[in-house]
Every structure is written in C-alpha cells, then in structure tokens.
C-alpha cells in the first residue's frame, strides 16, 4: 500500500519521501511505482512526462530523521499490528516538526488504540485507502476522539487536491464504513460458496454483472430508491421481510474457509506467474473507469 499512497501524492504534485526499514525494500517499491506508472501511460491517464515528473518527486530513505525533515504530512502504511503502529507514531511524534499531521492507513485499528501516547493529539487521523491505492479513488478519513476539525479538514482537502475521493467518517468505529459494508456482503458470499449454491466463477459473475455493475455509478441507497420509484419503500419493505431472516448472520468464519486460508489457498487456483498479468489487466480496466468517472 505504501508505494501506491506515495505515488498518489507524487502524481498530485507533492514532493514525497517514501520510507521503509531497508533500502532493498525501497528499491523494490520504486520498481513497483515505475511498473504502475507504465500502465498509467499505456492507458493515456498521464503522459510520459507527467509520469517521469512524478517519479522525480519521490525520494526514499530508511532513516526516519531524514523523512521528518521539513515534512508537513505523514501517512504510515506499515504492518497491521497495534504495537508496531504505536511505536512508529510515537517515534514520528518525536522527530517531526510540531505542525506535521500524522495519518495512518490502518484498515482495522482505531486511533484510540495506537495513537494514545502521541503528544500532538489534535494532529492524528486515519486515512483508509483501498487497493490499489494509486487507482481506487475513495479514501475514508476517520476522525478520532482527539482529531481537531482543522486536521480533519486539511486532510480531506489535501486528498481532494491529489484527485482522491475522500469520505468523512465522523466517529471512530472498527472497520469504518467500507469494510463493514463489504464484510456484510462477504458473509453471505462465504455462506453461499460453502453450501455450493453456485461456482466460484458464477458467484463473482453474479455480483459483477448485477449490483456491481450499478454500484460504480450509483450508490446502494439511490439504487434502492430508484428501484422502488414511484411507490418508494414498498419494494424495500417486501424484500427485507422476505430475505432478512433467510440470509447468514454468522459470527464465525466457516470452517472450510478458515482451513483453506490457513493453508494459503484462495478461491481461485492460478499459478503464481499469472498473477502479474491479472493485476495488469485489472489495473487497466480500473484506470479506464477512473478516467471516465472521476478524472475526466
Ligand atoms: N493490502 C490492502 O489491501 C490494504 C488496504 C487498505 C489498508 N491496508 C493497510 O495498509 C497497511 C500496510 O498493508 P500492506 O498490505 O501494504 O502491508 P505489507 O506487509 O505489504 O507492507 C508493509 C510494509 O511496511 C514495512 N514496515 C513494517 N514495519 C515497519 C516500520 N516499523 N517502519 C517502517 N516500515 C515498516 C514493511 O517492510 C513493508 O514493506 C496495513 O495497516 C494494512 O492494514 C492494506
């Protein structure tokens, strides 16, 4: 995620310092940025010159003191472990200038867990990106109990400036908005998959070609209102009455799935070397949508 977040700021015109624990990891991340930008150029989302300019804005360092020099805004994207994030936030608090905002790309933790020892309580915020973060527009900006309105608004405005689609999440709660909604859908998909109601491919095709097709353009709430128009509500009441009692409400991972994931198996069985090609094709399609819906 870190290389994509860095790329997003560099494409938005900001001098960006990317940091990790070793130079090898940073070189690899720069390689992934170049690879991603080649796809941006191939899809005419940016020109070669804009891509080269973005690369020119990124420097790398494994030294936090170098990162901290003159920095206005930091977004951490390290491993999702509370203690590690806590230690990093405390170190950043000690070395960054007093005005620097400290943001976290955590996907499941809340600021109250890992930001509690930071002195600049008003300048901490969660910015939750979605993979791939340099392409998917939405970023959830989550206000912690101590985040000031100034920090919240500055972060929101900064993300808009780099052409992201920030969303204001006004109270901290685990999973924020999007992962909670996604988990609700996944719970039902896992249940249908385990019961063998349809194949893996057909479950994906069903979502992609139905509500997935609509969702990129209109959200689920407008979708629902439009479906019920002009007798708004009637269809919603009927659907809820018919289905809410039928769908999964489990609080556990189905055993078949946890076993599969523990043995590092996903739903599909592609050979390792095919993944790069699949990701390339995915990114090309996403970039077309990004251009059409958000960057036109
Ligand atoms: N992968 C996703 O789809 C996704 C989506 C949204 C948010 N996130 C969040 O983004 C963060 C990173 O996820 P990822 O999938 O990129 O993980 P990753 O393991 O691929 O990358 C984490 C990077 O952090 C580095 N790192 C670890 N400890 C460090 C430290 N103390 N200082 C500096 N660098 C350190 C590692 O070397 C590694 O390069 C997590 O908090 C995750 O929950 C991930």
């Amino acid at each position: 995620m870190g290389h994509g977040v860095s790329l997003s700021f560099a494409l938005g015109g900001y001098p960006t310092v990317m940091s990790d624990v070793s130079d090898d990891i940073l070189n690899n991340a720069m390689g992934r940025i170049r690879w991603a930008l080649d796809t941006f150029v191939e899809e005419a989302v940016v020109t070669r010159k804009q891509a080269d300019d973005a690369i020119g804005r990124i420097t790398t360092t494994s030294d936090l003191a170098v990162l901290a020099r003159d920095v206005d805004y930091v977004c951490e994207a390290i491993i999702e472990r509370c203690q590690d994030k806590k230690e990093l936030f405390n170190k950043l608090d000690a070395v960054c200038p007093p005005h620097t905002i400290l943001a976290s790309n955590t996907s499941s933790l809340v600021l109250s867990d890992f930001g509690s020892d930071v002195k600049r309580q008003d300048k901490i915020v969660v910015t939750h990106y979605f993979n791939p973060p340099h392409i998917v527009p939405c970023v959830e900006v989550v206000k912690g109990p101590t985040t000031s309105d100034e920090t919240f608004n500055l972060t929101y405005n900064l993300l808009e400036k780099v052409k992201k689609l920030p969303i204001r999440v006004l109270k901290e709660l685990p999973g924020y908005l999007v992962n909670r909604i996604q988990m609700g859908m996944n719970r039902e998909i896992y249940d249908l998959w385990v019961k063998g109601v349809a194949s893996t491919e057909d479950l994906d095709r069903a979502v992609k070609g139905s509500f997935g097709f609509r969702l990129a353009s209109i959200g689920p709430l407008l979708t629902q209102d439009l479906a019920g128009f002009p007798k708004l509500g009637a269809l919603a009441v009927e659907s809820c009455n018919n289905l809410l009692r039928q769908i999964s409400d489990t609080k556990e991972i189905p055993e078949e799935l946890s076993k599969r994931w523990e043995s590092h198996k996903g739903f599909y069985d592609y050979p390792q070397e095919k993944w790069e090609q699949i990701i390339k094709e995915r990114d090309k399609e996403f970039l077309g949508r990004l251009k059409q819906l958000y960057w036109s």
Side-chain angles (χ1 to χ4, degrees):
M1 296 298 283
H3 78 279
V5 173
S6 303
L7 172 55
S8 169
F9 282 110
L11 272 174
Y14 287 92
T16 304
V17 185
M18 184 165 60
S19 185
D20 207 299
V21 289
S22 80
D23 289 338
D24 275 356
I25 295 176
L26 287 166
N27 289 338
N28 182 38
M30 280 309 293
R32 293 174 76 172
I33 285 177
R34 287 198 183 86
W35 188 77
L37 276 173
D38 284 347
T39 316
F40 273 63
V41 174
E42 282 161 33
E43 295 303 298
V45 178
V46 299
T47 62
R48 184 79 260 168
K49 170 149 186 359
Q50 286 169 321
D52 290 343
D53 287 349
I55 289 175
R57 286 187 202 103
I58 303 174
T59 51
T60 61
T61 181
S62 51
D63 183 348
L64 272 195
V66 174
L67 167 93
R69 220 176 276 153
D70 299 329
V71 73
D72 298 315
Y73 179 91
V74 180
C75 176
E76 74 76 23
I78 68 163
I79 189 168
E80 186 76 351
R81 254 199 316 249
C82 190
Q83 189 54 31
D84 292 57
K85 291 210 190 279
K86 194 173 201 157
E87 278 166 23
L88 181 62
F89 251 43
N90 291 346
K91 278 189 203 158
L92 287 167
D93 193 30
V95 292
C96 290
H99 72 276
T100 308
I101 290 176
L102 305 181
S104 168
N105 179 41
T106 173
S107 46
S108 59
L109 302 168
V110 289
L111 285 168
S112 305
D113 294 331
F114 62 90
S116 51
D117 296 343
V118 167
K119 292 200 182 67
R120 60 187 81 202
Q121 283 293 313
D122 57 324
K123 294 190 178 62
I124 56 177
V125 65
V126 165
T127 54
H128 180 224
Y129 287 75
F130 298 88
N131 193 33
H134 45 293
I135 300 180
V136 179
C138 178
V139 183
E140 292 177 295
V141 185
V142 188
K143 201 171 196 291
T146 62
T147 312
S148 68
D149 286 344
E150 193 188 3
T151 298
F152 197 53
N153 292 333
L154 260 165
T155 304
Y156 185 96
N157 294 339
L158 175 65
L159 288 165
E160 269 199 328
K161 275 193 189 148
V162 298
K163 293 191 177 174
K164 302 309 286 185
L165 178 74
I167 304 292
R168 286 191 174 91
V169 183
L170 303 172
K171 291 178 184 174
E172 68 172 26
L173 76 173
Y176 326 125
L177 306 183
V178 176
N179 282 353
R180 292 176 83 98
I181 297 166
Q182 192 164 252
M183 189 55 76
M185 178 188 77
N186 285 351
R187 173 160 65 183
E188 182 59 26
I189 290 186
Y190 300 155
D191 191 51
L192 294 169
W193 187 87
V194 167
K195 286 179 177 153
V197 176
S199 68
T200 300
E201 290 79 3
D202 273 355
L203 281 168
D204 267 353
R205 272 154 45 98
V207 172
K208 266 193 331 183
S210 61
F211 63 82
F213 179 86
R214 294 190 298 239
L215 285 180
S217 307
I218 55 168
L221 300 180
L222 180 57
T223 294
Q224 184 169 314
D225 276 2
L226 293 180
F229 191 81
K231 280 165 59 186
L232 282 181
L235 184 63
V237 170
E238 215 170 295
S239 308
C240 288
N241 280 339
N242 289 340
L243 282 182
L244 273 180
R245 282 180 207 88
Q246 302 292 330
I247 61 177
S248 173
D249 62 356
T250 181
K251 305 267 185 228
E252 310 293 335
I253 306 175
E255 202 186 326
E256 206 175 327
L257 275 180
S258 56
K259 274 194 198 145
R260 213 176 163 84
W261 289 333
E262 274 157 24
S263 59
H264 304 291
K265 274 181 103 175
F267 292 102
Y268 288 89
D269 204 10
Y270 286 126
Q272 188 86 27
E273 61 277 10
K274 237 187 138 187
W275 281 112
E276 194 164 296
Q277 182 58 29
I278 293 169
I279 289 172
K280 184 99 178 161
E281 280 164 18
R282 176 201 71 180
D283 286 359
K284 284 185 170 204
E285 187 161 339
F286 283 1
L287 283 169
R289 202 168 304 152
L290 183 70
K291 262 199 310 190
Q292 188 200 355
L293 295 175
Y294 293 97
W295 283 20
S296 52

